Amino acid sequence: MRIGEIAALVGVTPRAVRHYHRLGLLPEPGRRANGYREYGIRDAVLLARIRRLAELGLGLDEVGDVLAGDEGRELVDVLEELDADLARQERVVRERRARLAELLAQARSGRLPADGPVSPELAEWLTELGEPGHPGVAAGSPTAAWDREMLTLLDTMVPEAERARMVELLRATAGDAAALYARLDALADTAPDDPRVAETAEALAGIIPAGMAVEVPDDGFADVLFADLAPAQTAAVRQALRLAAERAA
């Protein structure tokens, strides 16, 4: 094979092949009488491995280290590893397409929440929260809007296997949500040492599921998390999370 042929076979550009030669990742092959490089199957396998490792997020220096550890391995071992890499990528693509199919179904039926793409479990819950008369709805509540954003954020952080459980826990507390939103809204113009802060924290801690009871460290993440809350509201939520975490320990 010539350089254009091996590049097309593996799915890279001839320029990339030459770059790998310069870096020493891909040894220079023998040349024909006319001076053109002549590549074989082992060159193609090695080039494919370089590409796969780069696609997995390794820097080219790291790719070189991995390839150095491959010296002496049987060709079948390398091919099997490449096949496993491809299988993982196929699995990721299938999962993404399945997720996209769910989002398309939600969008076509008008069930896709305004908050953006979320898991099917949370999408169903947010749709329920938007239904008139639902006990968890607090129309016009700023803290309700904040809570909705936090749930959307949590949805991206909670492992897929635990999302259904998270929504189940949320449903268990829906009946008290509207009243608590109102109490938090009332703290918007109060001082953090107002007695109502502790009272609201106690009430809020009482409905936080054990699985969601975690203290938030005082760092940059907390600044983002509480950016839309007033100082007294932030104090109440922090105290509530601390109390819930202590009780769950």
Side-chain angles (χ1 to χ4, degrees):
M1 290 180 287
R2 293 173 58 176
I3 189 168
E5 294 170 329
I6 191 175
L9 177 65
V10 176
V12 298
T13 64
R15 182 178 179 181
V17 176
R18 295 188 186 97
H19 184 54
Y20 297 150
H21 282 318
R22 286 194 296 271
L23 294 178
L25 297 177
L26 184 65
E28 285 279 355
R31 292 180 180 264
R32 297 179 180 177
N34 59 10
Y36 289 123
R37 296 180 178 92
E38 176 67 15
Y39 295 92
I41 185 61
R42 284 187 174 274
D43 298 308
V45 169
L46 179 55
L47 182 57
R49 181 142 170 76
I50 293 171
R51 178 191 170 190
R52 297 301 172 208
L53 290 170
E55 288 176 345
L56 291 172
L58 273 67
L60 292 182
D61 288 343
E62 296 172 303
V63 170
D65 293 338
V66 173
L67 295 178
D70 281 345
E71 292 182 5
R73 291 177 68 194
E74 294 292 333
L75 178 59
V76 66
D77 294 331
V78 178
L79 288 172
E80 287 175 349
E81 186 169 342
L82 281 171
D83 184 61
D85 287 342
L86 285 171
R88 282 193 291 272
Q89 291 183 47
E90 286 178 341
R91 196 159 53 246
V92 168
V93 170
R94 284 197 301 270
E95 290 170 355
R96 288 176 178 172
R97 291 200 65 193
R99 177 80 180 99
L100 178 60
E102 293 169 355
L103 294 175
L104 283 171
Q106 292 171 20
R108 288 167 179 161
S109 64
R111 295 183 294 110
L112 186 65
D115 308 80
V118 293
S119 67
E121 296 86 0
L122 186 60
E124 182 180 354
W125 171 239
L126 293 180
T127 300
E128 290 178 17
L129 285 178
E131 295 174 356
H134 190 282
V137 170
S141 166
T143 49
W146 171 82
D147 190 38
R148 191 179 182 101
E149 291 179 354
M150 292 306 102
L151 290 176
T152 303
L153 175 62
L154 272 176
D155 191 60
T156 67
M157 300 169 65
V158 174
E160 183 176 355
E162 297 179 20
R163 287 174 187 160
R165 175 59 178 161
M166 180 183 79
V167 174
E168 180 184 335
L169 294 172
L170 291 169
R171 281 199 172 96
T173 63
D176 300 312
L180 279 168
Y181 288 145
R183 295 181 72 160
L184 283 167
D185 289 338
L187 298 178
D189 299 317
T190 63
D193 59 355
D194 188 290
R196 288 175 294 173
V197 170
E199 295 168 2
T200 301
E202 182 65 37
L204 181 58
I207 71 163
I208 295 177
M212 298 174 64
V214 291
E215 284 195 64
V216 179
D218 192 10
D219 55 16
F221 176 71
D223 293 339
V224 173
L225 188 65
F226 300 121
D228 294 334
L229 296 185
Q233 293 171 328
T234 298
V237 173
R238 278 186 172 282
Q239 287 182 36
L241 289 171
R242 185 175 64 253
L243 287 171
E246 290 172 354
R247 292 167 185 172

